[in-house]
Amino acid sequence: MYEDLRNSLESIFEERLFYKIEDRISYGYDGSFGQHTPDFVVQVKSAEEVQTVVKLANKFNVPITPRGASTSLSGGPLPVEKGILMDFSQWDHYLEIFPDDLLIKASPGVITSDIHKLADQYNLMYPPDPSSSSICTIGGNLAENAGGPRGVKYGVTKDYVLGLEIVTASGEIINTGGNTVKNVTGYDLTKLIIGSEGTLAIITEATLRLIPKPLATKTAMILFDDLYTAGKSISAILTSGVRPSKMEILDNNSLNRVEDYAHLNLPREAAAILLVEVDGHPSILDKELITIKEALTKIGVDKIEIAESAEEEEKLWQVRKLVSPAIVKSGYTKISEDITLPLSKIPDMFEKIDKIKKEYDLNIVVFGHAGDGNLHPTINTNMRDQGEVGRVEDAVEEIFNYAIALGGTLSGEHGIGTMKRAFMTNEMGESGVLFQKAIKQALDPKNLLNPSKIFPIAGEKRLVLRND
Amino acid sequence: MYEDLRNSLESIFEERLFYKIEDRISYGYDGSFGQHTPDFVVQVKSAEEVQTVVKLANKFNVPITPRGASTSLSGGPLPVEKGILMDFSQWDHYLEIFPDDLLIKASPGVITSDIHKLADQYNLMYPPDPSSSSICTIGGNLAENAGGPRGVKYGVTKDYVLGLEIVTASGEIINTGGNTVKNVTGYDLTKLIIGSEGTLAIITEATLRLIPKPLATKTAMILFDDLYTAGKSISAILTSGVRPSKMEILDNNSLNRVEDYAHLNLPREAAAILLVEVDGHPSILDKELITIKEALTKIGVDKIEIAESAEEEEKLWQVRKLVSPAIVKSGYTKISEDITLPLSKIPDMFEKIDKIKKEYDLNIVVFGHAGDGNLHPTINTNMRDQGEVGRVEDAVEEIFNYAIALGGTLSGEHGIGTMKRAFMTNEMGESGVLFQKAIKQALDPKNLLNPSKIFPIAGEKRLVLRND
């Protein structure tokens, strides 16, 4: 069987088929944990090729795992059940803008920042901007419903996808949605497929919506003496009548990591900083920052620094971008969490994490997209210290359960993958998981598309950090 | 069986169960066509009551049709297969705002405009605003994914729903989504259920997202000498760097109907008018209208009138609101279509409709939400004139097929229901329809929830205007 499948794949893909162990191993990881070696790797470049592979997978009953640039932090592109790894990274040649329709169409391997650049040339904007945008593919963004800092005003990937071309588990090519923002013709398959992590269908093309690019931006840095007040300031700003375009928080620990790493003369003593960007017509931005300042004064916050030049603004955003590299630099393993909370509950979560940090004796850094409640508590750990790894797993479980208890969710933008599948039932209950499973079963009855993702695995009760 | 079901329902609902013919008949219509008399009507007021009815429906194998205020223009709340009509209009007592979280939670019978009013008290806004908002229920808006004029900037109902409580076809109460904008925990059931027209689950509560209310609005009326240029101006405005909050078009025919009806001193000779609203900080709105003016000058459009007072602004929007009443006033039957197009294709559609109008000798009025491509070609017809009804059916079919050929869709905000089910395959192909049916089959295997909606019925090939 293995030989037959190899021959069939080779006849189509030739040098775009990989089956040597050294090639296969290099396709077995992502930005999370675990190493899983696929049986075959194929580099697809058309919907028809995807269709052919899916039909072979059906014939030989082997699973398919789609993979973009593999920057995922949740295990989405890991070929856990082996089979065929479908590499989309080489399929990046279709990228077309329709400026009068405010649309872009793209093949799945296009790098996200290339979409940003193309839109920008026409004074248009594609708002979703995950941290990895200069290296990740739009296909991966679609599969995981990627977010980024503009979520507070502009939403996430899903909010900018009008239509998809997909290959179903049985190998049919179909189109979902279309070219219009308003579309109520049948079920919203587009938004069902986006964020389904490659488990319901394989995306082969996307129609993305653009918006007019804001004329200008302005950024302020707000300093806090305690994390609780920093948390409270988020609702205060968002109910002031201004809609910030970005609103990012860094706790004292994150701030000091960045300062150690990049020496930017940051306020090391601040309990937290909030970076707030407003965008729109240049004549309005100062007024909006004054409105924000007034709202903060009411809750006793008065340390606000406004970037007065493009360079100063750039420097502030540099701080945010350096958080992850600075943490990685420390040499230990970085475990990035992704809980998301109702805005008023952010202060409670900060208090909880502070407690957990002490109780479990862990190095936890908190930063994230404060404006949409999406926090990234990030733990630095020595994976060789089995005792510490156990404490990390306990701590993460406690953070997850507290997020759920506060009315929040396990994952705001990284996805469930393998990393959080053990906690799905905690959030949505047994019936909720079964309802989702019914959809998976209906659309992929042979469980060929990215198996072992999202849904709980019998017996697995906690975070999967080790490679089994 | 009938007696047993009646007794079971009566023991729960008492005076909220209706089974006399005169009561049942009055629940058999909506804003579209056809009269279908249910066997029973129950007025539900809790998720547990819905659950009990669903379990009885399973036991007795009878269908359930949910109904809000029945303003639907596509047949959603018509009890086509009889059975139990579930009236949500009396379940309007839960409406709670969480201003610090920018959320509202509501029971399905709450009137949409009550949500607007509550948000407004906190300087917040719930943007979706269907024309019927003062009489329709939020449950109906969710089932049909209602739109309205703010779609161009703010999107539709779906974009403001973070979570739902639903009762499944087997009678389980589950929660989908949550309280946060970012949420990638499992499949997006929330957006799958919204717009599914009551065919996949029954909605019993919604968590709605609010945004800061814009501080001010300003409106301009643009007059055109020909429809083609009016169509072209839409892309010109939307690529000028300004994001209008509303952008509505009325053709000469609509304009004259309103003038006949309300005597507002409108420019009867204009081929079309465009009403454009910008919103945001008051100091910026004039500048934005100037930017729009400049963009229009470039394509030879120069007749722009700016409302200089709140009264003038109110009067312009009155014009738009009076289109439907003015058409209804003519005494004939009003057939409202709802095609939606890529923006650059609007001029083509205007030309096509003009041709169809002449070819089929019909009275067609065109107006709609130009900024998101959502047009409402509306036909006035004498339903007793069989020849004319036949021509209407032919004309509508031609409009649908042309919309699809242009990359548009059958329905932007009214839904498919019974009215457009015959055309589903034209838009999404056989495989697309089967993919959707697989979801319906998986989540409602006994086909109890609002049967005979959305999906094509064997042998039915065109618009259903007559009551068979």
Side-chain angles (χ1 to χ4, degrees):
Chain A
M1 178 215 105
Y2 175 89
E3 286 299 320
D4 287 348
L5 177 54
R6 191 183 105 178
N7 291 335
S8 301
L9 290 171
E10 197 152 32
S11 71
I12 306 155
F13 290 96
E14 300 174 354
E15 77 287 2
R16 288 184 285 128
L17 168 72
F18 303 95
Y19 51 83
K20 289 185 187 151
I21 184 69
E22 58 271 30
D23 293 323
R24 293 189 284 125
I25 284 176
S26 67
Y27 277 98
Y29 67 91
D30 71 353
S32 70
F33 298 89
Q35 168 76 36
H36 303 269
T37 309
D39 297 316
F40 299 100
V41 176
V42 289
Q43 292 181 329
V44 290
K45 289 193 176 188
S46 74
E48 291 68 28
E49 284 182 0
V50 172
Q51 188 176 36
T52 307
V53 177
V54 171
K55 286 186 174 167
L56 285 172
N58 271 280
K59 185 175 163 193
F60 290 96
N61 209 27
V62 294
I64 296 174
T65 304
R67 184 189 204 259
S70 218
T71 55
S72 173
L73 296 170
S74 57
L78 297 178
V80 176
E81 305 294 340
K82 304 191 187 291
I84 302 168
L85 191 292
M86 196 177 264
D87 175 13
F88 283 83
S89 66
Q90 303 308 303
W91 184 7
D92 59 357
H93 49 269
Y94 181 55
L95 177 61
E96 186 174 4
I97 190 162
F98 302 84
D100 286 342
D101 293 326
L102 287 83
L103 296 179
I104 272 181
K105 291 184 190 262
S107 58
V110 168
I111 300 292
T112 308
S113 62
D114 288 338
I115 294 169
H116 293 146
K117 285 174 206 156
L118 180 59
D120 197 65
Q121 286 173 30
Y122 291 83
N123 275 320
L124 295 169
M125 177 166 83
Y126 172 69
D129 186 21
S131 299
S132 52
S133 62
S134 61
I135 50 168
C136 62
T137 63
I138 186 68
N141 292 182
L142 296 164
E144 302 291 333
N145 190 24
R150 292 204 190 93
V152 56
K153 181 167 181 178
Y154 294 106
V156 294
T157 297
K158 181 167 297 187
D159 300 307
Y160 294 88
V161 189
L162 299 182
L164 296 173
E165 180 191 74
I166 59 175
V167 176
T168 68
S170 59
E172 302 269 357
I173 299 177
I174 68 173
N175 290 291
T176 72
N179 301 295
T180 60
V181 174
K182 281 188 179 162
N183 185 331
V184 292
T185 301
Y187 303 147
D188 194 339
L189 299 181
T190 307
K191 290 184 163 69
L192 178 66
I193 301 301
I194 298 170
S196 68
E197 307 191 8
T199 65
L200 297 181
I202 298 173
I203 297 167
T204 52
E205 189 178 298
T207 302
L208 308 172
R209 180 166 74 100
L210 307 173
I211 60 170
K213 189 186 162 194
L215 297 173
T217 59
K218 194 140 199 177
T219 298
M221 175 169 70
I222 305 154
L223 282 68
F224 298 93
D225 297 329
D226 68 285
L227 262 175
Y228 193 83
T229 307
K232 269 178 54 182
S233 73
I234 297 161
S235 289
I237 293 172
L238 287 172
T239 52
S240 72
V242 174
R243 292 191 78 188
S245 44
K246 295 181 184 174
M247 221 171 143
E248 298 287 308
I249 197 160
L250 281 78
D251 73 352
N252 176 275
N253 208 342
S254 330
L255 199 62
N256 279 287
R257 296 290 183 90
V258 176
E259 185 59 23
D260 292 345
Y261 178 62
H263 314 293
L264 296 166
N265 202 19
L266 297 172
R268 280 188 181 275
E269 68 298 342
I273 62 164
L274 200 59
L275 297 172
V276 179
E277 180 194 89
V278 288
D279 70 356
H281 199 282
S283 70
I284 191 61
L285 304 180
D286 283 323
K287 286 178 188 135
E288 292 199 332
L289 288 178
I290 289 168
T291 305
I292 289 176
K293 208 167 173 172
E294 287 167 356
L296 290 171
T297 306
K298 280 185 201 155
I299 58 165
V301 174
D302 57 2
K303 291 182 200 149
I304 303 183
E305 296 174 13
I306 294 172
E308 294 300 344
S309 66
E311 293 69 42
E312 277 184 46
E313 195 173 356
E314 177 58 30
K315 189 189 132 186
L316 287 180
W317 288 109
Q318 200 56 21
V319 175
R320 171 65 180 85
K321 279 187 196 130
L322 288 174
V323 178
S324 282
I327 295 170
V328 169
K329 190 69 194 314
S330 70
Y332 290 110
T333 299
K334 171 175 167 277
I335 297 155
S336 305
E337 281 318 324
D338 183 38
I339 49 165
T340 307
L341 306 157
L343 299 172
S344 67
K345 303 295 190 243
I346 292 177
D348 298 320
M349 183 49 89
F350 277 133
E351 290 200 325
K352 180 72 172 186
I353 291 174
D354 207 50
K355 254 186 170 160
I356 288 174
K357 193 153 83 175
K358 288 168 189 154
E359 194 181 324
Y360 293 96
D361 185 26
L362 293 172
N363 194 345
I364 309 184
V365 171
V366 187
F367 61 96
H369 314 299
D372 52 37
N374 184 200
L375 299 181
H376 297 310
T378 298
I379 308 179
N380 255 193
T381 191
N382 179 354
M383 291 293 279
R384 290 181 186 157
D385 180 340
Q386 288 300 313
E388 188 170 291
V389 169
R391 295 201 307 281
V392 169
E393 291 174 344
D394 288 342
V396 169
E397 182 166 352
E398 205 169 322
I399 291 172
F400 284 168
N401 288 334
Y402 194 61
I404 294 168
L406 291 175
T409 184
L410 288 174
S411 181
E413 57 184 18
H414 294 173
I416 299 300
T418 53
M419 287 287 284
K420 285 163 214 161
R421 61 190 178 195
F423 299 91
M424 284 289 280
T425 313
N426 301 29
E427 181 164 335
M428 46 191 59
E430 204 70 62
S431 316
V433 171
L434 287 175
F435 196 76
Q436 301 222 358
K437 265 196 174 160
I439 295 174
K440 168 72 172 170
Q441 171 67 26
L443 300 184
D444 180 20
K446 294 170 80 177
N447 196 24
L448 297 176
L449 301 181
N450 210 3
S452 295
K453 306 296 167 70
I454 300 178
F455 295 106
I457 303 285
E460 186 182 277
K461 290 235 156 76
R462 45 199 283 150
L463 196 68
V464 185
L465 290 184
R466 294 187 194 80
N467 186 14
D468 301 301
Chain B
M1 179 214 102
Y2 175 89
E3 287 298 319
D4 286 350
L5 177 54
R6 190 182 108 179
N7 290 336
S8 301
L9 290 170
E10 196 152 33
S11 71
I12 307 153
F13 291 96
E14 299 175 354
E15 76 289 358
R16 288 184 287 125
L17 166 73
F18 302 94
Y19 52 82
K20 289 185 189 151
I21 184 69
E22 58 271 30
D23 291 324
R24 293 188 286 124
I25 284 176
S26 66
Y27 276 98
Y29 67 90
D30 72 353
S32 70
F33 298 88
Q35 169 75 36
H36 303 269
T37 308
D39 296 317
F40 299 101
V41 177
V42 289
Q43 293 181 328
V44 291
K45 289 192 176 188
S46 74
E48 291 68 30
E49 284 182 359
V50 172
Q51 186 176 38
T52 307
V53 176
V54 171
K55 288 188 172 164
L56 285 172
N58 272 280
K59 183 174 164 194
F60 290 97
N61 209 27
V62 293
I64 295 174
T65 304
R67 184 190 205 261
S70 218
T71 55
S72 173
L73 296 170
S74 58
L78 296 179
V80 176
E81 305 294 338
K82 305 191 188 291
I84 301 168
L85 192 292
M86 196 177 260
D87 174 14
F88 283 83
S89 65
Q90 303 309 301
W91 184 6
D92 60 356
H93 49 270
Y94 181 57
L95 177 62
E96 187 173 5
I97 190 162
F98 301 84
D100 285 343
D101 293 325
L102 286 83
L103 297 179
I104 272 181
K105 291 184 188 264
S107 57
V110 168
I111 299 293
T112 308
S113 62
D114 288 340
I115 293 169
H116 293 146
K117 285 174 206 156
L118 180 59
D120 196 66
Q121 286 172 32
Y122 291 83
N123 276 319
L124 295 169
M125 177 164 82
Y126 172 69
D129 186 20
S131 300
S132 53
S133 62
S134 62
I135 50 168
C136 63
T137 63
I138 186 67
N141 291 182
L142 297 163
E144 303 290 332
N145 189 24
R150 292 204 190 92
V152 57
K153 180 166 183 179
Y154 294 106
V156 295
T157 298
K158 181 168 293 185
D159 300 307
Y160 294 88
V161 188
L162 300 182
L164 296 173
E165 179 190 75
I166 58 174
V167 176
T168 69
S170 60
E172 303 269 356
I173 299 176
I174 68 173
N175 289 292
T176 72
N179 302 295
T180 61
V181 173
K182 280 188 181 161
N183 186 329
V184 291
T185 302
Y187 302 146
D188 194 339
L189 299 181
T190 308
K191 289 184 165 65
L192 178 65
I193 300 300
I194 298 170
S196 68
E197 308 193 8
T199 66
L200 297 181
I202 298 173
I203 298 167
T204 52
E205 190 177 298
T207 302
L208 308 172
R209 178 166 77 100
L210 307 173
I211 59 171
K213 190 186 161 192
L215 296 173
T217 59
K218 194 140 195 176
T219 298
M221 176 168 70
I222 306 154
L223 282 67
F224 298 92
D225 297 330
D226 67 284
L227 261 175
Y228 193 84
T229 308
K232 268 179 54 184
S233 73
I234 297 162
S235 289
I237 293 172
L238 287 171
T239 52
S240 71
V242 173
R243 294 191 79 191
S245 45
K246 298 181 183 173
M247 220 171 143
E248 298 286 310
I249 197 161
L250 282 77
D251 72 353
N252 176 275
N253 207 343
S254 328
L255 200 62
N256 278 287
R257 297 291 183 89
V258 175
E259 185 59 22
D260 292 344
Y261 177 64
H263 314 293
L264 296 165
N265 203 18
L266 297 171
R268 281 189 182 271
E269 69 296 342
I273 61 166
L274 201 60
L275 298 171
V276 178
E277 181 194 87
V278 289
D279 70 355
H281 198 283
S283 71
I284 190 61
L285 304 181
D286 283 323
K287 286 177 189 137
E288 292 199 332
L289 289 179
I290 288 169
T291 305
I292 289 176
K293 209 167 172 171
E294 287 166 356
L296 290 173
T297 305
K298 280 185 202 156
I299 57 164
V301 175
D302 58 3
K303 292 182 200 151
I304 303 182
E305 297 174 13
I306 295 172
E308 293 301 344
S309 66
E311 293 69 41
E312 276 183 47
E313 194 173 357
E314 176 60 27
K315 189 189 131 186
L316 287 180
W317 288 108
Q318 198 60 22
V319 175
R320 172 64 181 87
K321 278 186 198 132
L322 288 174
V323 179
S324 282
I327 296 170
V328 168
K329 191 68 195 314
S330 69
Y332 290 110
T333 298
K334 172 176 166 278
I335 297 155
S336 306
E337 280 319 324
D338 183 37
I339 49 166
T340 307
L341 305 158
L343 299 173
S344 68
K345 303 297 190 234
I346 293 176
D348 298 320
M349 184 49 93
F350 277 134
E351 289 199 327
K352 181 73 169 183
I353 291 173
D354 207 49
K355 253 186 172 160
I356 288 174
K357 196 154 79 174
K358 286 167 193 156
E359 193 180 325
Y360 293 95
D361 185 25
L362 293 171
N363 195 345
I364 309 184
V365 170
V366 187
F367 60 96
H369 314 300
D372 51 37
N374 184 201
L375 299 181
H376 296 310
T378 299
I379 309 178
N380 255 195
T381 190
N382 180 354
M383 291 292 279
R384 289 184 187 154
D385 180 340
Q386 288 299 314
E388 187 170 293
V389 169
R391 294 203 306 281
V392 169
E393 291 173 345
D394 288 341
V396 169
E397 182 165 351
E398 206 170 323
I399 292 172
F400 285 168
N401 288 334
Y402 195 61
I404 294 167
L406 290 174
T409 184
L410 288 175
S411 181
E413 56 182 19
H414 294 171
I416 300 299
T418 53
M419 287 287 284
K420 284 164 216 162
R421 61 190 178 196
F423 299 90
M424 284 289 282
T425 313
N426 303 30
E427 181 164 335
M428 47 191 58
E430 204 72 60
S431 315
V433 170
L434 286 175
F435 196 77
Q436 301 222 357
K437 265 196 175 163
I439 296 173
K440 169 71 174 172
Q441 173 67 26
L443 301 184
D444 180 20
K446 295 171 79 177
N447 196 24
L448 296 177
L449 301 181
N450 211 3
S452 295
K453 305 295 166 71
I454 300 179
F455 296 105
I457 303 287
E460 185 183 278
K461 289 231 157 80
R462 45 201 281 149
L463 196 70
V464 185
L465 291 182
R466 294 187 196 80
N467 185 15
D468 300 303

